[in-house]
Amino acid sequence: MISTIIFIVIIAVLVFYVIGVYNQLVALKNRFENAFSQIEVQLKRRYDLIPNLIETAKGYIKHERETLEAVISARNQAMNGLQAAAANPGSAVAMSDLAGAESLLTSAMGRLNVVMEAYPDLKASQNMMQVSEELTSTENKIAFARQAFNDAVTSYNTYKQSFPPVVFAKSFGHSENASLLVFADSAEIQAAPKVQF
């Protein structure tokens, strides 16, 4: 009789533990998916600001059509990458495609900034200053959102890979690790600045 009660208690404890592991995996996955949705909001805001920047610049830099078209094309690619990543946040392929598209967009925006430097009237334009400020603010928000997403992905992967959750994760539908979102500028951001005199 006592051995039966002990056996039932042990089974009950194990069942509750397994339920706890499942619930924790679901909670951590939902957390990183929510963190990605914050990135999505900021990237969409960025993509919406770029046409305003282009329209403002068009009046001043009529001879730089190729640069403007490159920015628009890169923006469209980045939007497609974002849609794919939003459908499956954490997917290695989706995160890689989004990072590549963002790299192209950053490069195109950099070329546009170089071109804009040659037009002092454009830089002094109130509309251009306002759109540039909004873009800068949005870039900062993207960086914070990306950090929160990567932290949530790391927590999910760490818990999923630890013992004993690793024993149950695959059978609960959590077989793949989530992927971090690393943009091409990560190495440049982390590198110490060089000062020369």
Side-chain angles (χ1 to χ4, degrees):
M1 175 88 168
I2 293 178
S3 63
T4 305
I5 293 173
I6 291 173
F7 179 74
I8 291 172
V9 168
I10 290 172
I11 294 297
V13 167
L14 287 174
V15 166
F16 283 114
Y17 179 76
V18 170
I19 290 170
V21 167
Y22 177 81
N23 289 340
Q24 184 67 15
L25 285 168
V26 169
L28 291 171
K29 184 176 183 186
N30 288 340
R31 195 171 297 147
F32 84 71
E33 287 175 347
N34 178 55
F36 185 81
S37 69
Q38 301 307 313
I39 293 173
E40 183 180 14
V41 166
Q42 297 306 324
L43 287 176
K44 283 181 179 177
R45 177 177 162 79
R46 179 183 185 210
Y47 302 154
D48 290 344
L49 286 169
I50 289 172
N52 295 339
L53 181 74
I54 297 297
E55 281 303 312
T56 303
K58 268 185 187 177
Y60 293 90
I61 54 176
K62 294 177 178 125
H63 303 297
E64 303 292 343
R65 185 173 184 84
E66 185 178 303
T67 302
L68 297 175
E69 288 174 355
V71 171
I72 292 169
S73 174
R75 172 196 175 259
N76 293 340
Q77 280 185 296
M79 286 179 67
N80 292 337
L82 177 60
Q83 288 175 346
N88 192 4
S91 161
V93 172
M95 293 300 112
S96 176
D97 290 349
L98 178 59
E102 279 295 316
S103 176
L104 289 174
L105 180 58
T106 300
S107 176
M109 292 294 291
R111 287 191 303 275
L112 179 61
N113 286 335
V114 167
V115 167
M116 289 185 332
E117 289 292 323
Y119 295 87
D121 291 344
L122 175 60
K123 283 176 46 179
S125 161
Q126 188 64 33
N127 286 345
M128 183 55 74
M129 290 186 332
Q130 185 178 10
V131 173
S132 294
E133 178 62 33
E134 286 292 323
L135 272 171
T136 300
S137 172
T138 301
E139 293 293 334
N140 291 335
K141 291 175 185 176
I142 291 169
F144 288 123
R146 186 174 68 177
Q147 180 62 48
F149 171 76
N150 286 342
D151 289 346
V153 165
T154 300
S155 294
Y156 170 77
N157 288 343
T158 300
Y159 182 76
K160 189 178 96 40
Q161 295 167 1
S162 63
F163 184 81
V166 71
V167 174
F168 304 106
K170 194 171 190 174
S171 62
F172 289 157
H174 298 268
S175 57
E176 297 294 320
N177 287 333
S179 291
L180 300 173
L181 180 57
V182 180
F183 291 158
D185 64 351
S186 292
E188 295 157 19
I189 290 170
Q190 293 174 7
K194 294 181 181 177
V195 178
Q196 294 178 338
F197 295 99

